[in-house]
Amino acid sequence: SRLRMMFGQPLSKRWGLDRGLPAHRYYINLFLNEFSADIRGVCLEFDDRGYMDRFGGDTLERFDVLHLDESNPRATVVADITQPNDIPDHTYDCIICTHVLHVIPDVNAAVEGMHRILRPGGVLLCAVPHVSMYDEREGEMWRFTRLGLHTLMARSFGAENVMAKGYGNSL
């Protein structure tokens, strides 16, 4: 008798970028399009301003791009959202945080930090991976279920102020 086994390999080692728009970006676009009215006023986005530009339009008064260190030339704010920093309380009407939380060691501190810098009535638009390729070199630490993300956010925002919605599926 013989046994032959195959272990799955990712369809793409570049998250699908080599074949067009990756599936996770398709669903992020749906999410941000659905809530584009919230991308307004003074807005903050992690890493670059692509989603603010695409979905914010004329409703943006000012924008900032947040990065952890000075290695990103697009950054207008250099700070660690999980640590005390110089970002004033209640600065932003909207924060766009897409596929960021899964690489932050202290996600509770990150959520608290974003809550602190949001203005009363402000909106955090947060997208996280659930089922995805894993690459240890990317520093990924977490995966969230809808309930897990809701629970995490409710600690800072209050359960009544959190809406967690799933897009797509693993099939």
PDB file of all heavy atoms in Angstrom, residues 77-109:
ATOM      1  N   VAL A  77       1.467  61.736   9.708  1.00  0.00           N
ATOM      2  CA  VAL A  77       1.516  61.545  11.153  1.00  0.00           C
ATOM      3  C   VAL A  77       2.334  60.287  11.420  1.00  0.00           C
ATOM      4  O   VAL A  77       2.015  59.216  10.909  1.00  0.00           O
ATOM      5  CB  VAL A  77       0.107  61.381  11.765  1.00  0.00           C
ATOM      6  CG1 VAL A  77       0.182  61.067  13.243  1.00  0.00           C
ATOM      7  CG2 VAL A  77      -0.754  62.613  11.511  1.00  0.00           C
ATOM      8  N   VAL A  78       3.394  60.422  12.209  1.00  0.00           N
ATOM      9  CA  VAL A  78       4.219  59.281  12.597  1.00  0.00           C
ATOM     10  C   VAL A  78       3.970  59.035  14.072  1.00  0.00           C
ATOM     11  O   VAL A  78       4.264  59.892  14.917  1.00  0.00           O
ATOM     12  CB  VAL A  78       5.715  59.553  12.322  1.00  0.00           C
ATOM     13  CG1 VAL A  78       6.572  58.411  12.852  1.00  0.00           C
ATOM     14  CG2 VAL A  78       5.955  59.758  10.827  1.00  0.00           C
ATOM     15  N   ALA A  79       3.360  57.885  14.373  1.00  0.00           N
ATOM     16  CA  ALA A  79       3.009  57.576  15.761  1.00  0.00           C
ATOM     17  C   ALA A  79       2.684  56.099  15.884  1.00  0.00           C
ATOM     18  O   ALA A  79       2.291  55.447  14.918  1.00  0.00           O
ATOM     19  CB  ALA A  79       1.810  58.413  16.212  1.00  0.00           C
ATOM     20  N   ASP A  80       2.826  55.595  17.090  1.00  0.00           N
ATOM     21  CA  ASP A  80       2.400  54.242  17.436  1.00  0.00           C
ATOM     22  C   ASP A  80       1.049  54.380  18.121  1.00  0.00           C
ATOM     23  O   ASP A  80       0.950  54.930  19.214  1.00  0.00           O
ATOM     24  CB  ASP A  80       3.423  53.596  18.368  1.00  0.00           C
ATOM     25  CG  ASP A  80       3.085  52.155  18.721  1.00  0.00           C
ATOM     26  OD1 ASP A  80       1.910  51.733  18.558  1.00  0.00           O
ATOM     27  OD2 ASP A  80       3.994  51.443  19.185  1.00  0.00           O
ATOM     28  N   ILE A  81       0.011  53.913  17.466  1.00  0.00           N
ATOM     29  CA  ILE A  81      -1.350  54.071  17.984  1.00  0.00           C
ATOM     30  C   ILE A  81      -1.560  53.298  19.289  1.00  0.00           C
ATOM     31  O   ILE A  81      -2.488  53.582  20.039  1.00  0.00           O
ATOM     32  CB  ILE A  81      -2.383  53.663  16.897  1.00  0.00           C
ATOM     33  CG1 ILE A  81      -3.770  54.214  17.214  1.00  0.00           C
ATOM     34  CG2 ILE A  81      -2.426  52.161  16.710  1.00  0.00           C
ATOM     35  CD1 ILE A  81      -3.890  55.690  17.069  1.00  0.00           C
ATOM     36  N   THR A  82      -0.660  52.351  19.599  1.00  0.00           N
ATOM     37  CA  THR A  82      -0.807  51.558  20.823  1.00  0.00           C
ATOM     38  C   THR A  82      -0.093  52.176  22.020  1.00  0.00           C
ATOM     39  O   THR A  82      -0.174  51.648  23.122  1.00  0.00           O
ATOM     40  CB  THR A  82      -0.269  50.121  20.625  1.00  0.00           C
ATOM     41  OG1 THR A  82       1.149  50.173  20.458  1.00  0.00           O
ATOM     42  CG2 THR A  82      -0.916  49.441  19.431  1.00  0.00           C
ATOM     43  N   GLN A  83       0.629  53.269  21.793  1.00  0.00           N
ATOM     44  CA  GLN A  83       1.414  53.914  22.842  1.00  0.00           C
ATOM     45  C   GLN A  83       0.969  55.367  23.023  1.00  0.00           C
ATOM     46  O   GLN A  83       0.381  55.947  22.116  1.00  0.00           O
ATOM     47  CB  GLN A  83       2.905  53.901  22.465  1.00  0.00           C
ATOM     48  CG  GLN A  83       3.489  52.531  22.283  1.00  0.00           C
ATOM     49  CD  GLN A  83       3.507  51.739  23.573  1.00  0.00           C
ATOM     50  OE1 GLN A  83       3.797  52.268  24.641  1.00  0.00           O
ATOM     51  NE2 GLN A  83       3.174  50.459  23.484  1.00  0.00           N
ATOM     52  N   PRO A  84       1.277  55.968  24.172  1.00  0.00           N
ATOM     53  CA  PRO A  84       1.021  57.407  24.279  1.00  0.00           C
ATOM     54  C   PRO A  84       1.732  58.116  23.125  1.00  0.00           C
ATOM     55  O   PRO A  84       2.858  57.782  22.774  1.00  0.00           O
ATOM     56  CB  PRO A  84       1.645  57.777  25.626  1.00  0.00           C
ATOM     57  CG  PRO A  84       1.616  56.498  26.418  1.00  0.00           C
ATOM     58  CD  PRO A  84       1.841  55.403  25.397  1.00  0.00           C
ATOM     59  N   ASN A  85       1.030  59.054  22.503  1.00  0.00           N
ATOM     60  CA  ASN A  85       1.596  59.755  21.353  1.00  0.00           C
ATOM     61  C   ASN A  85       1.085  61.193  21.336  1.00  0.00           C
ATOM     62  O   ASN A  85       0.308  61.596  22.190  1.00  0.00           O
ATOM     63  CB  ASN A  85       1.270  59.011  20.048  1.00  0.00           C
ATOM     64  CG  ASN A  85      -0.215  58.814  19.849  1.00  0.00           C
ATOM     65  OD1 ASN A  85      -0.986  59.773  19.813  1.00  0.00           O
ATOM     66  ND2 ASN A  85      -0.635  57.566  19.727  1.00  0.00           N
ATOM     67  N   ASP A  86       1.535  61.946  20.344  1.00  0.00           N
ATOM     68  CA  ASP A  86       1.204  63.371  20.259  1.00  0.00           C
ATOM     69  C   ASP A  86      -0.076  63.662  19.489  1.00  0.00           C
ATOM     70  O   ASP A  86      -0.395  64.830  19.266  1.00  0.00           O
ATOM     71  CB  ASP A  86       2.363  64.142  19.617  1.00  0.00           C
ATOM     72  CG  ASP A  86       3.604  64.134  20.496  1.00  0.00           C
ATOM     73  OD1 ASP A  86       3.465  64.022  21.723  1.00  0.00           O
ATOM     74  OD2 ASP A  86       4.717  64.235  19.945  1.00  0.00           O
ATOM     75  N   ILE A  87      -0.807  62.654  19.061  1.00  0.00           N
ATOM     76  CA  ILE A  87      -2.060  62.905  18.351  1.00  0.00           C
ATOM     77  C   ILE A  87      -3.084  63.396  19.380  1.00  0.00           C
ATOM     78  O   ILE A  87      -3.374  62.696  20.345  1.00  0.00           O
ATOM     79  CB  ILE A  87      -2.586  61.639  17.653  1.00  0.00           C
ATOM     80  CG1 ILE A  87      -1.543  61.058  16.702  1.00  0.00           C
ATOM     81  CG2 ILE A  87      -3.891  61.962  16.907  1.00  0.00           C
ATOM     82  CD1 ILE A  87      -1.920  59.707  16.113  1.00  0.00           C
ATOM     83  N   PRO A  88      -3.620  64.594  19.177  1.00  0.00           N
ATOM     84  CA  PRO A  88      -4.588  65.121  20.157  1.00  0.00           C
ATOM     85  C   PRO A  88      -5.870  64.289  20.215  1.00  0.00           C
ATOM     86  O   PRO A  88      -6.297  63.700  19.220  1.00  0.00           O
ATOM     87  CB  PRO A  88      -4.897  66.529  19.628  1.00  0.00           C
ATOM     88  CG  PRO A  88      -3.789  66.861  18.693  1.00  0.00           C
ATOM     89  CD  PRO A  88      -3.315  65.553  18.122  1.00  0.00           C
ATOM     90  N   ASP A  89      -6.480  64.262  21.385  1.00  0.00           N
ATOM     91  CA  ASP A  89      -7.774  63.614  21.556  1.00  0.00           C
ATOM     92  C   ASP A  89      -8.788  64.251  20.608  1.00  0.00           C
ATOM     93  O   ASP A  89      -8.711  65.440  20.308  1.00  0.00           O
ATOM     94  CB  ASP A  89      -8.295  63.788  22.991  1.00  0.00           C
ATOM     95  CG  ASP A  89      -7.450  63.059  24.029  1.00  0.00           C
ATOM     96  OD1 ASP A  89      -6.495  62.361  23.647  1.00  0.00           O
ATOM     97  OD2 ASP A  89      -7.754  63.200  25.227  1.00  0.00           O
ATOM     98  N   HIS A  90      -9.757  63.466  20.170  1.00  0.00           N
ATOM     99  CA  HIS A  90     -10.910  63.959  19.406  1.00  0.00           C
ATOM    100  C   HIS A  90     -10.505  64.736  18.156  1.00  0.00           C
ATOM    101  O   HIS A  90     -11.073  65.777  17.855  1.00  0.00           O
ATOM    102  CB  HIS A  90     -11.818  64.810  20.297  1.00  0.00           C
ATOM    103  CG  HIS A  90     -12.124  64.200  21.617  1.00  0.00           C
ATOM    104  ND1 HIS A  90     -12.806  63.016  21.746  1.00  0.00           N
ATOM    105  CD2 HIS A  90     -11.802  64.587  22.866  1.00  0.00           C
ATOM    106  CE1 HIS A  90     -12.917  62.705  23.026  1.00  0.00           C
ATOM    107  NE2 HIS A  90     -12.313  63.642  23.729  1.00  0.00           N
ATOM    108  N   THR A  91      -9.551  64.226  17.401  1.00  0.00           N
ATOM    109  CA  THR A  91      -9.040  64.907  16.210  1.00  0.00           C
ATOM    110  C   THR A  91      -9.807  64.546  14.939  1.00  0.00           C
ATOM    111  O   THR A  91     -10.020  65.396  14.083  1.00  0.00           O
ATOM    112  CB  THR A  91      -7.548  64.569  16.010  1.00  0.00           C
ATOM    113  OG1 THR A  91      -6.817  65.040  17.147  1.00  0.00           O
ATOM    114  CG2 THR A  91      -6.978  65.200  14.758  1.00  0.00           C
ATOM    115  N   TYR A  92     -10.236  63.291  14.800  1.00  0.00           N
ATOM    116  CA  TYR A  92     -10.725  62.797  13.515  1.00  0.00           C
ATOM    117  C   TYR A  92     -12.222  62.499  13.520  1.00  0.00           C
ATOM    118  O   TYR A  92     -12.762  61.967  14.484  1.00  0.00           O
ATOM    119  CB  TYR A  92      -9.942  61.545  13.099  1.00  0.00           C
ATOM    120  CG  TYR A  92      -8.479  61.856  12.912  1.00  0.00           C
ATOM    121  CD1 TYR A  92      -7.543  61.546  13.886  1.00  0.00           C
ATOM    122  CD2 TYR A  92      -8.044  62.519  11.767  1.00  0.00           C
ATOM    123  CE1 TYR A  92      -6.209  61.864  13.719  1.00  0.00           C
ATOM    124  CE2 TYR A  92      -6.708  62.844  11.592  1.00  0.00           C
ATOM    125  CZ  TYR A  92      -5.800  62.519  12.572  1.00  0.00           C
ATOM    126  OH  TYR A  92      -4.483  62.855  12.407  1.00  0.00           O
ATOM    127  N   ASP A  93     -12.839  62.811  12.373  1.00  0.00           N
ATOM    128  CA  ASP A  93     -14.237  62.446  12.147  1.00  0.00           C
ATOM    129  C   ASP A  93     -14.339  61.008  11.644  1.00  0.00           C
ATOM    130  O   ASP A  93     -15.365  60.360  11.828  1.00  0.00           O
ATOM    131  CB  ASP A  93     -14.863  63.372  11.088  1.00  0.00           C
ATOM    132  CG  ASP A  93     -14.919  64.804  11.563  1.00  0.00           C
ATOM    133  OD1 ASP A  93     -15.599  65.061  12.570  1.00  0.00           O
ATOM    134  OD2 ASP A  93     -14.272  65.661  10.932  1.00  0.00           O
ATOM    135  N   CYS A  94     -13.283  60.535  10.993  1.00  0.00           N
ATOM    136  CA  CYS A  94     -13.286  59.191  10.422  1.00  0.00           C
ATOM    137  C   CYS A  94     -11.871  58.629  10.452  1.00  0.00           C
ATOM    138  O   CYS A  94     -10.906  59.339  10.158  1.00  0.00           O
ATOM    139  CB  CYS A  94     -13.798  59.241   8.982  1.00  0.00           C
ATOM    140  SG  CYS A  94     -13.791  57.636   8.132  1.00  0.00           S
ATOM    141  N   ILE A  95     -11.766  57.353  10.798  1.00  0.00           N
ATOM    142  CA  ILE A  95     -10.504  56.623  10.700  1.00  0.00           C
ATOM    143  C   ILE A  95     -10.769  55.405   9.831  1.00  0.00           C
ATOM    144  O   ILE A  95     -11.715  54.651  10.075  1.00  0.00           O
ATOM    145  CB  ILE A  95      -9.970  56.177  12.078  1.00  0.00           C
ATOM    146  CG1 ILE A  95      -9.673  57.380  12.963  1.00  0.00           C
ATOM    147  CG2 ILE A  95      -8.724  55.298  11.914  1.00  0.00           C
ATOM    148  CD1 ILE A  95      -9.285  57.027  14.396  1.00  0.00           C
ATOM    149  N   ILE A  96      -9.934  55.227   8.804  1.00  0.00           N
ATOM    150  CA  ILE A  96     -10.012  54.053   7.941  1.00  0.00           C
ATOM    151  C   ILE A  96      -8.852  53.138   8.318  1.00  0.00           C
ATOM    152  O   ILE A  96      -7.691  53.487   8.153  1.00  0.00           O
ATOM    153  CB  ILE A  96      -9.937  54.445   6.457  1.00  0.00           C
ATOM    154  CG1 ILE A  96     -11.086  55.387   6.104  1.00  0.00           C
ATOM    155  CG2 ILE A  96      -9.950  53.194   5.580  1.00  0.00           C
ATOM    156  CD1 ILE A  96     -11.006  55.957   4.703  1.00  0.00           C
ATOM    157  N   CYS A  97      -9.196  51.969   8.827  1.00  0.00           N
ATOM    158  CA  CYS A  97      -8.205  51.007   9.333  1.00  0.00           C
ATOM    159  C   CYS A  97      -8.463  49.663   8.650  1.00  0.00           C
ATOM    160  O   CYS A  97      -9.231  48.847   9.146  1.00  0.00           O
ATOM    161  CB  CYS A  97      -8.342  50.909  10.854  1.00  0.00           C
ATOM    162  SG  CYS A  97      -7.253  49.722  11.631  1.00  0.00           S
ATOM    163  N   THR A  98      -7.845  49.454   7.486  1.00  0.00           N
ATOM    164  CA  THR A  98      -8.087  48.224   6.731  1.00  0.00           C
ATOM    165  C   THR A  98      -6.872  47.313   6.785  1.00  0.00           C
ATOM    166  O   THR A  98      -5.762  47.714   6.461  1.00  0.00           O
ATOM    167  CB  THR A  98      -8.424  48.537   5.259  1.00  0.00           C
ATOM    168  OG1 THR A  98      -7.357  49.281   4.684  1.00  0.00           O
ATOM    169  CG2 THR A  98      -9.717  49.331   5.150  1.00  0.00           C
ATOM    170  N   HIS A  99      -7.122  46.097   7.233  1.00  0.00           N
ATOM    171  CA  HIS A  99      -6.099  45.050   7.317  1.00  0.00           C
ATOM    172  C   HIS A  99      -4.854  45.540   8.060  1.00  0.00           C
ATOM    173  O   HIS A  99      -3.729  45.391   7.580  1.00  0.00           O
ATOM    174  CB  HIS A  99      -5.778  44.516   5.927  1.00  0.00           C
ATOM    175  CG  HIS A  99      -6.867  43.614   5.418  1.00  0.00           C
ATOM    176  ND1 HIS A  99      -6.608  42.410   4.843  1.00  0.00           N
ATOM    177  CD2 HIS A  99      -8.217  43.724   5.442  1.00  0.00           C
ATOM    178  CE1 HIS A  99      -7.744  41.823   4.511  1.00  0.00           C
ATOM    179  NE2 HIS A  99      -8.730  42.609   4.866  1.00  0.00           N
ATOM    180  N   VAL A 100      -5.093  46.089   9.234  1.00  0.00           N
ATOM    181  CA  VAL A 100      -4.029  46.597  10.099  1.00  0.00           C
ATOM    182  C   VAL A 100      -4.007  45.846  11.427  1.00  0.00           C
ATOM    183  O   VAL A 100      -2.950  45.444  11.902  1.00  0.00           O
ATOM    184  CB  VAL A 100      -4.200  48.119  10.356  1.00  0.00           C
ATOM    185  CG1 VAL A 100      -3.217  48.622  11.386  1.00  0.00           C
ATOM    186  CG2 VAL A 100      -4.075  48.906   9.061  1.00  0.00           C
ATOM    187  N   LEU A 101      -5.172  45.641  12.033  1.00  0.00           N
ATOM    188  CA  LEU A 101      -5.218  45.078  13.391  1.00  0.00           C
ATOM    189  C   LEU A 101      -4.559  43.715  13.512  1.00  0.00           C
ATOM    190  O   LEU A 101      -3.996  43.394  14.559  1.00  0.00           O
ATOM    191  CB  LEU A 101      -6.668  44.980  13.885  1.00  0.00           C
ATOM    192  CG  LEU A 101      -7.343  46.289  14.236  1.00  0.00           C
ATOM    193  CD1 LEU A 101      -8.749  46.026  14.755  1.00  0.00           C
ATOM    194  CD2 LEU A 101      -6.539  47.087  15.254  1.00  0.00           C
ATOM    195  N   HIS A 102      -4.577  42.918  12.478  1.00  0.00           N
ATOM    196  CA  HIS A 102      -4.020  41.561  12.564  1.00  0.00           C
ATOM    197  C   HIS A 102      -2.500  41.531  12.666  1.00  0.00           C
ATOM    198  O   HIS A 102      -1.922  40.485  12.918  1.00  0.00           O
ATOM    199  CB  HIS A 102      -4.518  40.700  11.407  1.00  0.00           C
ATOM    200  CG  HIS A 102      -4.001  41.111  10.070  1.00  0.00           C
ATOM    201  ND1 HIS A 102      -4.341  42.298   9.466  1.00  0.00           N
ATOM    202  CD2 HIS A 102      -3.163  40.493   9.215  1.00  0.00           C
ATOM    203  CE1 HIS A 102      -3.744  42.387   8.304  1.00  0.00           C
ATOM    204  NE2 HIS A 102      -3.012  41.308   8.125  1.00  0.00           N
ATOM    205  N   VAL A 103      -1.836  42.688  12.484  1.00  0.00           N
ATOM    206  CA  VAL A 103      -0.374  42.739  12.618  1.00  0.00           C
ATOM    207  C   VAL A 103       0.069  43.574  13.819  1.00  0.00           C
ATOM    208  O   VAL A 103       1.261  43.826  13.989  1.00  0.00           O
ATOM    209  CB  VAL A 103       0.310  43.265  11.323  1.00  0.00           C
ATOM    210  CG1 VAL A 103       0.036  42.322  10.156  1.00  0.00           C
ATOM    211  CG2 VAL A 103      -0.115  44.675  10.999  1.00  0.00           C
ATOM    212  N   ILE A 104      -0.869  43.981  14.656  1.00  0.00           N
ATOM    213  CA  ILE A 104      -0.541  44.783  15.837  1.00  0.00           C
ATOM    214  C   ILE A 104      -0.568  43.881  17.068  1.00  0.00           C
ATOM    215  O   ILE A 104      -1.594  43.264  17.367  1.00  0.00           O
ATOM    216  CB  ILE A 104      -1.540  45.956  16.010  1.00  0.00           C
ATOM    217  CG1 ILE A 104      -1.411  46.929  14.838  1.00  0.00           C
ATOM    218  CG2 ILE A 104      -1.306  46.667  17.338  1.00  0.00           C
ATOM    219  CD1 ILE A 104      -2.385  48.093  14.884  1.00  0.00           C
ATOM    220  N   PRO A 105       0.543  43.791  17.801  1.00  0.00           N
ATOM    221  CA  PRO A 105       0.577  42.898  18.969  1.00  0.00           C
ATOM    222  C   PRO A 105      -0.481  43.234  20.024  1.00  0.00           C
ATOM    223  O   PRO A 105      -1.131  42.331  20.550  1.00  0.00           O
ATOM    224  CB  PRO A 105       1.991  43.084  19.530  1.00  0.00           C
ATOM    225  CG  PRO A 105       2.798  43.567  18.375  1.00  0.00           C
ATOM    226  CD  PRO A 105       1.859  44.386  17.536  1.00  0.00           C
ATOM    227  N   ASP A 106      -0.673  44.499  20.330  1.00  0.00           N
ATOM    228  CA  ASP A 106      -1.623  44.884  21.373  1.00  0.00           C
ATOM    229  C   ASP A 106      -2.858  45.506  20.728  1.00  0.00           C
ATOM    230  O   ASP A 106      -3.003  46.727  20.651  1.00  0.00           O
ATOM    231  CB  ASP A 106      -0.968  45.865  22.351  1.00  0.00           C
ATOM    232  CG  ASP A 106      -1.798  46.098  23.597  1.00  0.00           C
ATOM    233  OD1 ASP A 106      -2.987  45.704  23.630  1.00  0.00           O
ATOM    234  OD2 ASP A 106      -1.261  46.697  24.552  1.00  0.00           O
ATOM    235  N   VAL A 107      -3.761  44.648  20.250  1.00  0.00           N
ATOM    236  CA  VAL A 107      -4.942  45.144  19.540  1.00  0.00           C
ATOM    237  C   VAL A 107      -5.862  45.947  20.461  1.00  0.00           C
ATOM    238  O   VAL A 107      -6.503  46.893  20.015  1.00  0.00           O
ATOM    239  CB  VAL A 107      -5.723  44.019  18.823  1.00  0.00           C
ATOM    240  CG1 VAL A 107      -4.930  43.461  17.672  1.00  0.00           C
ATOM    241  CG2 VAL A 107      -6.135  42.925  19.785  1.00  0.00           C
ATOM    242  N   ASN A 108      -5.921  45.595  21.737  1.00  0.00           N
ATOM    243  CA  ASN A 108      -6.751  46.370  22.671  1.00  0.00           C
ATOM    244  C   ASN A 108      -6.259  47.812  22.756  1.00  0.00           C
ATOM    245  O   ASN A 108      -7.053  48.756  22.695  1.00  0.00           O
ATOM    246  CB  ASN A 108      -6.752  45.738  24.063  1.00  0.00           C
ATOM    247  CG  ASN A 108      -7.544  44.459  24.103  1.00  0.00           C
ATOM    248  OD1 ASN A 108      -8.677  44.403  23.651  1.00  0.00           O
ATOM    249  ND2 ASN A 108      -6.938  43.408  24.636  1.00  0.00           N
ATOM    250  N   ALA A 109      -4.961  48.002  22.871  1.00  0.00           N
ATOM    251  CA  ALA A 109      -4.395  49.352  22.940  1.00  0.00           C
ATOM    252  C   ALA A 109      -4.627  50.103  21.629  1.00  0.00           C
ATOM    253  O   ALA A 109      -4.883  51.307  21.634  1.00  0.00           O
ATOM    254  CB  ALA A 109      -2.909  49.298  23.279  1.00  0.00           C
TER     255      ALA A 109
END
